[in-house]
Amino acid sequence: MTSVRIPHVAYFSMEIALQSDVPTYSGGLGVLAGDTLRSAADLALPVTAVTLASRSGYFRQQIEGGRQLEHPQAWNPADHARHVPVKVPVRVGAREVWVTAWEWRIESHCAESQPVSVLLLDTDLPENHPEDRALTGTLYGGDAAYRLAQEMVLGIGGVRLLAAIGCPVEKYHLNEGHAALLTLELLREQMERSDCDLDAAIEAVRRRCVFTTHTPVPAGHDQFEHDLVHSLLGTLASAELLRRLGGAERLNMTLVALELSGWVNGVAQRHAEVSRAMFPGFEVHAITNGVHPWTWASDGHRALFDQHVPHWCHEPELLIHASRIPLEDIARAHARAKASLLAHAQRVAEPVALAPDCLTIGFARRMTSYKRPLLLFSDLARLRRIARRYPLQIVMAGKAHPRDWEGKQHIEQLHAIARELEGEVPLVFLPGYDMDLGRQMTAGVDLWLNTPQRPLEASGTSGMKAALNGVPNLSVLDGWWLEGWEEGVTGWAVGPDGPHDPAVDSLSLHDQLEQVIAPLFYEDPQAWLHVCREAIARNGSQFNSHRMLRRYVLEAYTR
Ligand SMILES: *Cc1c(COP(=O)(O)O)cnc(C)c1O
């Protein structure tokens, strides 16, 4: 008999969503990291995670006169985590920066589980220079030098801190290229420990590293000028080696991670294909993302699944049996989630009246151009016409990165459109998109809309949360939806699986709403509920982080 021993994995991520109001995340990447670790705890897997403390957070979003204002969102690790009485040095430019950590424990609610430790790296120590004390302050803040220094603290400081506490790491999982510098630290150690040649040392590092790339958007891949890298990284790696691994023009962190990882994956089938075309010569596997079932099911749905699909938490594949759940119970759980969302929205957007029986469309994502938050409003005359026959209301949310000027403009435009549609199509924009609001919205609307520009949506995960709660998707055929979509069964497509054409997508979106979705919702409630139930059974049973992590274990960690 053979048995597979699971190696101890160190999971590195620049952001991890631990708890809704703890601002160590900005969006999808951090939520995915958190869901991965929540599943690791449920499945009692030997995983230790490393991230930055992000004491000043990402930012708190305020909307004033339709514009986004950004405020720091400070938090104190001491309120939630245990201080780890260890510090390690990382040389950043001319100074030694001391890095310490806080241990956050992710507890599971499942039997036979095992808490997962998350190390929150922190440079806010009195022995550090004031500038260096702020390095673990703002998530994705500052200029290129600040970002590079943060990545040094994460990658190099993280490896050293794990060693200092005696964590028996066997595999390193790089969640996105931000953690790529850990490979250079491992390479340095390898060369120091044994006097093997460079190529043998590279092979040894590759055997220990797994890399997940998360976006086909070029701006999503960190690149730093070689001069800057040289001035901050110093002697950790030679200029020649850095050019060989990370590119001659600039140091591309994705390239470094690809070169030094023995196993690489994209986060959906299509994304892996696109990544292979972007980085020819590298083998890129596909493990499609998933969401943590217990975290994202609404209170009503948790109770519903407990009753009809026992053990769904530990084995979400069982949700395929959602077909046993009576349609009226599905309707009741949804009505409860919808009432809770509308009550919240009503408090925030007082003068706009939202009705519980009105077809409610939800859209929440990072506000940035390729997500196309305005596509639904590309033909206002037609939208008004549809709404006269079939009443519609819309709930939106999302933050724009403080330097994404177009994204911020989209928020302003949405507010202008909301004023234009007043009295005809109620539209509310809820500020401060975070996990709590995401949970309320994905469970509480009737239809989850996603309109990214193909093929730039690597996976997307909010639609999976919606499906888990019996909310069907209306989405462009990209990312996970290419795998979860069954037309009229789990939801509906916007546009074809073909070349990007905004006019075709706009037409298709309005046609689907007017001719298929709204008539079904208003004229055949039983058939509508069938789609809701199939979304749970066919999408919820598959697109969860338990399935995803089990695949990482078997295909990436144990090979
Ligand atoms: C799930 C989630 C995301 C990611 O959703 P996408 O579908 O990838 O846009 C982002 N932010 C929050 C707060 C979430 O809960």
Side-chain angles (χ1 to χ4, degrees):
M1 201 181 115
T2 58
S3 67
V4 179
R5 200 185 61 82
I6 302 174
H8 195 107
V9 175
Y11 183 89
F12 277 66
S13 185
M14 185 60 104
E15 49 172 311
I16 301 180
L18 297 162
Q19 183 178 303
S20 186
D21 59 352
V22 171
T24 53
Y25 65 102
S26 84
L29 182 70
V31 171
L32 178 85
D35 281 1
T36 303
L37 299 169
R38 284 180 274 277
S39 280
D42 290 349
L43 299 172
L45 293 171
V47 176
T48 304
V50 180
T51 188
L52 300 186
S54 298
R55 279 172 171 274
S56 315
Y58 179 51
F59 68 88
R60 184 172 65 77
Q61 180 190 52
Q62 186 196 345
I63 304 286
E64 204 174 278
R67 301 168 92 125
Q68 169 178 296
L69 302 178
E70 297 115 24
H71 305 285
Q73 189 182 3
W75 75 290
N76 185 2
D79 294 342
H80 299 267
R82 176 187 75 89
H83 184 236
V84 180
V86 166
K87 60 177 180 179
V88 295
V90 176
R91 191 158 196 91
V92 180
R95 293 191 296 265
E96 208 76 84
V97 176
W98 289 95
V99 182
T100 188
W102 301 84
E103 184 194 16
W104 179 297
R105 282 163 76 84
I106 296 181
E107 306 278 350
S108 159
H109 55 277
C110 292
E112 294 170 55
S113 59
Q114 180 85 48
V116 162
S117 290
V118 180
L119 297 171
L120 297 151
L121 303 180
D122 189 4
T123 61
D124 189 15
L125 290 168
E127 48 272 57
N128 284 334
H129 186 280
E131 257 178 55
D132 298 337
R133 291 183 72 157
L135 283 180
T136 49
T138 306
L139 179 60
Y140 304 131
D143 56 7
Y146 184 81
R147 289 283 293 272
L148 180 59
Q150 286 193 322
E151 295 188 13
M152 292 174 68
V153 170
L154 176 69
I156 304 165
V159 168
R160 292 182 184 168
L161 206 119
L162 287 167
I165 62 171
C167 184
V169 181
E170 292 163 276
K171 288 276 182 182
Y172 292 84
H173 188 160
L174 289 68
N175 189 44
E176 190 54 311
H178 308 125
L181 294 174
L182 81 84
T183 61
L184 297 180
E185 170 64 3
L186 295 180
L187 193 60
R188 184 193 65 77
E189 274 180 357
Q190 189 71 32
M191 303 279 287
E192 238 167 49
R193 205 170 334 117
S194 56
D195 44 18
C196 57
D197 67 13
L198 178 63
D199 288 328
I202 287 178
E203 252 334 290
V205 171
R206 287 171 53 88
R207 275 196 295 276
R208 293 157 75 194
C209 292
V210 167
F211 171 47
T212 303
T213 178
H214 280 273
T215 178
V217 179
H221 298 263
D222 276 335
Q223 301 198 31
F224 297 101
E225 300 296 335
H226 278 295
D227 283 349
L228 175 67
V229 175
H230 180 72
S231 74
L232 294 191
L233 212 55
T235 57
L236 186 85
S238 73
E240 190 198 340
L241 178 66
L242 291 175
R243 284 184 162 74
R244 171 180 155 187
L245 297 173
E249 296 262 303
R250 278 182 297 249
L251 187 77
N252 181 323
M253 291 302 191
T254 304
L255 279 179
V256 174
L258 286 167
E259 288 283 356
L260 288 172
S261 299
W263 201 92
V264 177
N265 75 291
V267 291
Q269 298 285 350
R270 177 60 54 84
H271 175 233
E273 280 166 35
V274 172
S275 300
R276 285 193 285 269
M278 271 180 99
F279 301 103
F282 293 100
E283 192 179 358
V284 181
H285 303 267
I287 293 186
T288 302
N289 281 342
V291 297
H292 185 249
W294 193 80
T295 298
W296 294 105
S298 78
D299 294 346
H301 288 87
R302 286 177 184 171
L304 188 66
F305 300 156
D306 280 344
Q307 185 189 345
H308 295 280
V309 192
H311 313 296
W312 65 281
C313 265
H314 192 72
E315 216 178 321
E317 292 81 354
L318 295 172
L319 287 171
I320 194 75
H321 300 303
S323 44
R324 289 178 195 147
I325 305 175
L327 291 179
E328 59 272 22
D329 290 6
I330 301 258
R332 204 171 311 117
H334 179 66
R336 178 173 160 191
K338 189 171 182 180
S340 148
L341 171 67
L342 295 188
H344 172 73
Q346 207 69 79
R347 275 195 299 276
V348 175
E350 237 178 285
V352 183
L354 298 169
D357 49 356
C358 178
L359 174 56
T360 305
I361 301 173
F363 182 104
R365 39 208 84 242
R366 184 157 52 88
M367 287 292 155
T368 196
S369 288
Y370 84 85
K371 300 269 197 181
R372 299 194 296 178
L374 300 171
L375 192 75
L376 177 60
F377 310 104
S378 51
D379 185 348
L380 286 183
R382 181 146 185 220
L383 192 68
R384 286 191 170 99
R385 208 162 64 229
I386 300 172
R388 274 199 293 276
R389 176 139 185 232
Y390 301 111
L392 300 174
Q393 58 193 9
I394 302 162
V395 181
M396 301 185 89
K399 293 175 167 183
H401 185 277
R403 294 197 185 168
D404 184 345
W405 310 112
E406 282 183 358
K408 289 164 85 158
Q409 229 166 33
H410 293 331
I411 294 178
E412 283 194 61
Q413 284 164 317
L414 287 172
H415 283 84
I417 290 167
R419 286 191 296 274
E420 234 184 292
L421 289 174
E422 224 175 275
E424 294 172 280
V425 185
L427 190 175
V428 302
F429 186 99
L430 302 176
Y433 185 35
D434 61 8
M435 282 178 80
D436 277 347
L437 184 54
R439 183 159 173 263
Q440 283 221 317
M441 284 182 69
T442 51
V445 299
D446 297 306
L447 181 71
W448 194 250
L449 179 68
N450 190 20
T451 52
Q453 175 183 331
R454 284 184 301 277
L456 299 181
E457 178 89 325
S459 164
T461 54
S462 58
M464 303 174 183
K465 302 166 192 167
L468 176 71
N469 287 291
V471 172
N473 278 264
L474 169 60
S475 170
V476 154
L477 290 173
D478 198 7
W480 81 279
W481 189 233
L482 274 166
E483 297 160 50
W485 163 64
E486 292 176 61
E487 185 69 15
V489 178
T490 55
W492 301 272
V494 172
D497 176 15
H500 167 60
D501 183 339
V504 170
D505 288 351
S506 168
L507 192 65
S508 163
L509 171 53
H510 291 91
D511 284 350
Q512 289 280 50
L513 275 179
E514 181 169 41
Q515 292 158 16
V516 182
I517 296 170
L520 191 72
F521 181 84
Y522 283 110
E523 292 157 13
D524 196 346
Q526 288 299 106
W528 177 267
L529 285 170
H530 249 281
V531 179
C532 300
R533 191 164 69 179
E534 289 306 301
I536 299 172
R538 293 172 192 237
N539 292 161
S541 63
Q542 184 182 355
F543 297 96
N544 57 74
S545 48
H546 281 36
R547 184 261 317 145
M548 174 190 75
L549 189 56
R550 287 185 177 117
R551 284 197 58 196
Y552 275 112
V553 169
L554 275 178
E555 292 164 55
Y557 300 162
T558 53
R559 72 176 279 293

